Amino acid sequence: MSNKNSNFAADMKQKGQKPMTREQIFAEKAKTYGICYSTICPLREHCLHSLLTSYKPQDRLYIDCVNLNNPKMQREGCPLFAKDEPVRMPNGLHTIYYNMPGRIERSIKNHLIHAYSRKRYYEYHNGTRPLTPDVERYVREVIKSYGWIEEPQFAGYVEDYLW
């Protein structure tokens, strides 16, 4: 078992849940995730859109799928490509403010609310939505831009697939 999977399993045990297998995760995600039926795409062997074709529920009459007529699809730079490996993402922003002076905290918070909307900011803040790598990178840049040099301490980390 890789280190990533063992971290994921440890996180699940801490939450009192039984760790899900890759197949169980894919079966759950396939219920709402768009799939790709391309047979010529060079990325199909490592793309979640393609891998989920065999996990779609058979009792469904309609399914969401990728538009293969779009000229951007089925190429190396496919905008919908989603890697088939889980990513470790920070979860919960509330702990990054613990050692900060109030004026820096308020400035950073207002900046992030303006960038992501109040609702999305509080999803990140409370840990109901993990920070994707792009969001994490942006949060770190914003913190540094306001003069805070300490490394941000997030409330926790989760491993999940980027959808």
Side-chain angles (χ1 to χ4, degrees):
M1 185 185 284
S2 74
N3 189 25
K4 285 184 177 182
N5 290 337
S6 63
N7 287 342
F8 181 69
D11 287 344
M12 295 294 283
K13 285 180 185 175
Q14 285 179 350
K15 294 178 182 176
Q17 300 172 345
K18 184 178 177 186
M20 293 175 67
T21 65
R22 179 178 167 131
E23 288 74 25
Q24 290 171 325
I25 294 170
F26 283 4
E28 186 65 31
K29 298 289 185 181
K31 294 175 184 175
T32 58
Y33 195 63
I35 60 171
C36 180
Y37 286 108
S38 174
T39 57
I40 61 170
C41 181
L43 304 172
R44 75 179 178 276
E45 291 186 21
H46 296 288
C47 182
L48 288 171
H49 290 282
S50 181
L51 292 174
L52 291 179
T53 57
S54 60
Y55 294 95
K56 275 292 185 187
Q58 293 182 357
D59 60 344
R60 291 273 172 100
L61 297 177
Y62 295 99
I63 57 172
D64 295 326
C65 63
V66 174
N67 180 6
L68 299 180
N69 291 327
N70 187 313
K72 296 178 183 176
M73 303 303 156
Q74 305 184 75
R75 293 182 171 34
E76 278 297 324
C78 178
L80 293 180
F81 175 72
K83 193 111 174 94
D84 64 343
E85 294 179 10
V87 177
R88 187 171 188 251
M89 297 177 280
N91 197 20
L93 283 176
H94 60 277
T95 55
I96 67 171
Y97 302 118
Y98 283 171
N99 296 328
M100 285 183 194
R103 62 183 168 74
I104 294 177
E105 175 186 347
R106 283 187 298 277
S107 298
I108 291 171
K109 179 181 172 183
N110 289 335
H111 188 111
L112 294 174
I113 287 173
H114 180 71
Y116 293 110
S117 82
R118 183 170 297 279
K119 180 182 179 197
R120 179 65 49 93
Y121 169 79
Y122 280 104
E123 289 174 345
Y124 292 143
H125 180 83
N126 298 329
T128 55
R129 178 185 295 264
L131 282 73
T132 63
D134 292 338
V135 174
E136 178 186 6
R137 189 171 23 263
Y138 185 74
V139 167
R140 289 177 185 276
E141 288 172 7
V142 168
I143 289 170
K144 286 181 183 174
S145 72
Y146 282 96
W148 191 250
I149 57 173
E150 289 184 25
E151 188 68 20
Q153 299 297 318
F154 297 100
Y157 287 87
V158 295
E159 284 192 7
D160 200 358
Y161 295 91
L162 291 178
W163 302 97

